[in-house]
Amino acid sequence: MNIRNTILSYMEKDSHLNAKTLAVMLNLPEEEIEKEIAAMEADGTILSYKTVVNWEKTDRRMVRALIELKTIPQRDKGFDTVAERISTYPQVKSVFLMSGGFDLALFVEGETMRDVALFVAEKLATMEGVTATATHFVLQTYKDNDVVYEQDTTDKRGNSW
Amino acid sequence: MFDPTTRLNHTITEIKPSGIRKFFDLLDEMKDVVALTVGQPDFVTPWHIRDAGIRSLEEGRTYYTSNNGLLEFRKEIANYQSRRFSLEYDPAKEIIVTVGGSEAIDLALRATVNPGDEVIVPEPCFVCYAPLVSMAGGIPVALPLKWENNFKLTPEELRSALTEKTKAIVLAFPNNPTGACLTKEELEGLAEVIRESDALVISDEIYGELTYDYTHTSIASIEGMRERTVVVGGFSKAYAMTGWRLGYTLAPDYFTKQMAKIHQYGIMCAPTTSQYTAIEALKNGDEDIEMMKAEYHARRNLIVSRLRALGIDCFMPEGAFYVFPYIGKFGLSSEEFCEKLLYEKHVAIVPGTAFGESGEGFARLSYAYSVRHIEQAMDRLAEFVKTL
């Protein structure tokens, strides 16, 4: 694995790992790691550092929905125009162009199911180029962003030398 | 008056319970402990390997296998040893599949030792060798290794320990607890001494895949050594398969025949599900080994660097997943240091003396833990060291 991929694979798992620790772990100069991280931040390889939150543990109400959209592609632009427009809404957390029976898949968040339903009905369904929507509410999250929710993390290994 | 307690086997009753056990019992009673004690991987057996075990159960493969293990499996072991370590063994006559590396060591010792025979056990080492030698009726001869040699066994040390009574030498490199390894050249030096003697070699190479600075060499691959060596291998460390309890012996036909008697009467065969599972590990597990090894390698660098930053002397271990720093300079015995650390900062590490008297002044820290966990333990250790 090249050095950038190695750094990324560690940071993707734990964004707390700083250049100093990574330098020790990979036996490379700290300045080199810093330089690589800075370069990847600059060229958009590293996009942001976020925290994976299980909101069900808080008192904040939140629902998520997966929304399938069928759209009419535009000459020269394909699906880009409508995907970019949809991406500007803060309720929309992810946008993907998909193969298969529909075109775009979105993850949308809101406080209530009604919020999400209204957003779909008022903003997405009415958007130029969108021909159909299908809304699937998330009932339970088992694993997201490579993190298994509600996992028993106690160390069950026996202490046998 | 009839006292049933006196009717037990004296060889067994005289064997002291392992010192490490006492420490682990203490640890089990405490909460909020950051432990670096565990001697097994923190990875789960890779899914495709586990899946092969499940499939074997779905297909109803719940029978005994032949005593020495599925021939298909032994063939894969032979392929693997040839591919990775240039060892050539006949799967039909020279391999026994065992219940973990420990059974393999026991078989080798029991097939070797006559009452009164001496077996040289370089220390510090894994806890089982000396008791198993005693149980086999032999006399374990501890050979203390030295910090200044990074706990490697030298030809001079070996020569001075060999006597007329020496029946066998236990070689355990990469080593638990020190992480010491031997290069091909170093093994050649030892082989020269061994060839001058009548000693057999029991080479525990369970950590053979986990070397970070050079590829492991088996002593059996060195000229004149194959005929007098039993190589002990297994799946626990390389494939994170400790719970499957699967190991094996590689030894010449004349030797394997004798070990097979002990195995077939005492054990019958290793667990069938585990054998089918491990076939998948051998066929498609090389990448898993590389992935886990890269992780251990990075953690080794981290833990050694953190210890040295605390002013604790620590040589860079070349293999396994342990570091064995010198803690003697704080004026406490190994046990005192570890107990005080456990009570005061709730960090558990294992006193070096658990692995032989020559471990006095040292402690074993396992890095089969996440980076976050290791850092937390090192932060607490830093606070502790300040108070000494």
Side-chain angles (χ1 to χ4, degrees):
Chain A
M1 212 188 295
N2 67 40
I3 180 63
R4 284 196 174 190
N5 288 358
T6 305
I7 293 171
L8 289 173
S9 68
Y10 277 108
M11 292 184 73
E12 191 187 20
K13 274 183 253 162
D14 184 357
S15 60
H16 272 84
L17 283 177
N18 56 28
K20 188 178 172 189
T21 307
L22 278 168
V24 170
M25 288 168 67
L26 303 175
N27 197 23
L28 288 167
E30 189 178 336
E31 304 75 49
E32 190 178 331
I33 304 281
E34 275 172 351
K35 202 182 79 191
E36 293 292 350
I37 292 173
M40 289 191 285
E41 285 171 348
D43 73 10
T45 304
I46 294 175
L47 288 166
S48 82
Y49 300 91
K50 299 187 75 165
T51 303
V52 180
V53 179
N54 183 357
W55 285 106
E56 284 171 26
K57 297 267 187 192
T58 70
D59 59 4
R60 181 176 144 181
R61 292 193 299 166
M62 217 246 320
V63 293
R64 290 176 94 197
L66 167 69
I67 295 163
E68 301 170 6
L69 287 187
K70 286 186 182 169
T71 62
I72 302 166
Q74 290 182 318
R75 186 191 298 267
D76 298 333
K77 301 273 187 181
F79 298 93
D80 293 356
T81 309
V82 67
E84 282 163 14
R85 192 179 305 150
I86 287 167
S87 298
T88 59
Y89 288 100
Q91 296 93 325
V92 175
K93 300 301 172 185
S94 314
V95 180
F96 306 99
L97 176 63
M98 309 297 288
S99 65
F102 57 97
D103 304 315
L104 296 177
L106 330 178
F107 274 96
V108 171
E109 285 179 8
E111 263 200 34
T112 63
M113 287 168 92
R114 185 181 157 77
D115 286 343
V116 174
L118 281 177
F119 174 72
V120 175
E122 292 176 359
K123 306 292 183 193
L124 296 179
T126 56
M127 194 177 284
E128 192 184 344
V130 173
T131 60
T133 69
T135 304
H136 311 275
F137 284 101
V138 173
L139 302 179
Q140 172 110 39
T141 306
Y142 294 99
K143 184 178 181 182
D144 194 20
N145 284 296
D146 213 17
V147 179
V148 176
Y149 285 42
E150 302 294 339
Q151 195 176 26
D152 181 359
T153 54
T154 49
D155 193 344
K156 294 191 180 59
R157 290 178 289 168
N159 258 318
S160 47
W161 16 96
Chain B
M1 202 177 101
F2 172 62
D3 179 359
T5 62
T6 63
R7 304 297 294 155
L8 299 175
N9 179 324
H10 290 177
T11 307
I12 307 297
T13 56
E14 277 165 26
I15 288 172
K16 288 185 207 136
S18 148
I20 198 173
R21 204 63 264 166
K22 191 182 82 183
F23 196 74
F24 286 156
D25 290 343
L26 194 67
L27 176 60
D28 286 341
E29 291 164 16
M30 291 180 66
K31 290 207 169 106
D32 181 35
V33 173
V34 181
L36 295 179
T37 49
V38 168
Q40 53 175 318
D42 59 321
F43 297 100
V44 178
T45 309
W47 173 246
H48 68 101
I49 299 175
R50 278 182 279 157
D51 197 31
I54 294 166
R55 199 160 57 244
S56 82
L57 289 174
E58 285 172 346
E59 289 167 354
R61 300 181 174 195
T62 56
Y63 34 75
Y64 298 126
T65 67
S66 65
N67 292 133
N68 288 359
L70 291 162
L71 184 59
E72 178 193 359
F73 180 34
R74 281 178 280 150
K75 283 180 181 166
E76 288 300 333
I77 292 170
N79 287 341
Y80 161 85
Q81 284 290 341
S82 172
R83 179 175 87 241
R84 305 285 280 199
F85 304 112
S86 308
L87 292 177
E88 304 300 332
Y89 284 90
D90 178 352
K93 293 180 176 169
E94 297 183 318
I95 299 177
I96 303 173
V97 176
T98 59
V99 180
S102 296
E103 191 214 332
I105 295 160
D106 191 35
L107 292 185
L109 286 167
R110 287 209 272 162
T112 308
V113 171
N114 285 318
D117 282 349
E118 291 181 357
V119 176
I120 297 176
V121 182
E123 289 184 347
C125 68
F126 179 50
V127 294
C128 83
Y129 308 121
L132 288 179
V133 170
S134 301
M135 289 183 208
I139 300 164
V141 178
L143 170 51
L145 302 183
K146 295 195 186 78
W147 159 256
E148 54 264 38
N149 298 328
N150 289 353
F151 292 104
K152 288 168 183 274
L153 173 63
T154 66
E156 296 73 34
E157 286 170 333
L158 181 59
R159 185 172 282 119
S160 69
L162 281 164
T163 70
E164 298 258 301
K165 290 187 189 158
T166 303
K167 179 56 83 65
I169 301 152
V170 174
L171 278 185
F173 298 94
N175 182 268
N176 171 10
T178 65
C181 296
L182 298 176
T183 63
K184 185 162 187 275
E185 293 70 33
E186 287 162 344
L187 284 166
E188 278 168 351
L190 294 176
E192 206 176 311
V193 177
I194 295 167
R195 281 193 300 261
E196 291 164 12
S197 77
D198 291 334
L200 301 173
V201 175
I202 296 162
S203 185
D204 182 354
E205 301 180 19
I206 191 79
Y207 289 97
E209 285 284 2
L210 299 179
T211 59
Y212 308 112
D213 303 303
Y214 45 85
T215 305
H216 171 70
T217 300
S218 172
I219 189 148
S221 69
I222 289 167
E223 196 195 338
M225 295 307 297
R226 185 189 190 280
E227 65 201 53
R228 58 166 90 205
T229 300
V230 184
V231 175
V232 171
F235 297 83
S236 295
K237 317 298 177 179
Y239 298 98
M241 288 182 65
T242 48
W244 299 87
R245 305 309 306 122
L246 209 57
Y248 50 87
T249 58
L250 307 173
D253 186 21
Y254 79 92
F255 207 139
T256 296
K257 267 194 193 116
Q258 306 313 319
M259 291 194 290
K261 291 182 200 166
I262 307 168
H263 176 72
Q264 74 190 27
Y265 293 125
I267 299 291
M268 183 89 85
C269 71
T272 305
T273 310
S274 301
Q275 295 189 48
Y276 280 111
T277 306
I279 290 174
E280 169 66 17
L282 291 170
K283 279 184 173 167
N284 298 309
D286 286 6
E287 273 183 31
D288 300 299
I289 295 176
E290 290 310 314
M291 184 278 291
M292 291 188 264
K293 197 167 114 167
E295 272 291 324
Y296 294 133
H297 190 167
R299 295 174 193 176
R300 172 195 75 158
N301 294 349
L302 177 68
I303 199 166
V304 169
S305 156
R306 289 291 306 259
L307 287 167
R308 286 177 179 169
L310 297 178
I312 297 175
D313 286 334
C314 182
F315 76 95
M316 184 63 87
E318 295 170 326
F321 38 62
Y322 311 102
V323 285
F324 203 63
Y326 176 63
I327 50 164
K329 74 168 190 178
F330 297 104
L332 299 170
S333 74
S334 291
E335 270 199 41
E336 285 167 348
F337 184 96
C338 294
E339 275 188 27
K340 206 166 147 68
L341 176 63
L342 180 60
Y343 284 128
E344 291 182 10
K345 294 294 172 189
H346 291 201
V347 174
I349 60 176
V350 183
T353 43
F355 308 98
E357 281 174 26
S358 58
E360 183 54 78
F362 299 87
R364 186 190 79 173
L365 286 68
S366 161
Y367 50 89
Y369 290 90
S370 71
V371 167
R372 188 70 68 83
H373 185 99
I374 292 168
E375 295 218 290
Q376 197 186 354
M378 291 299 108
D379 290 345
R380 291 189 188 190
L381 181 63
E383 289 172 22
F384 177 69
V385 167
K386 272 186 216 153
T387 68
L388 296 178

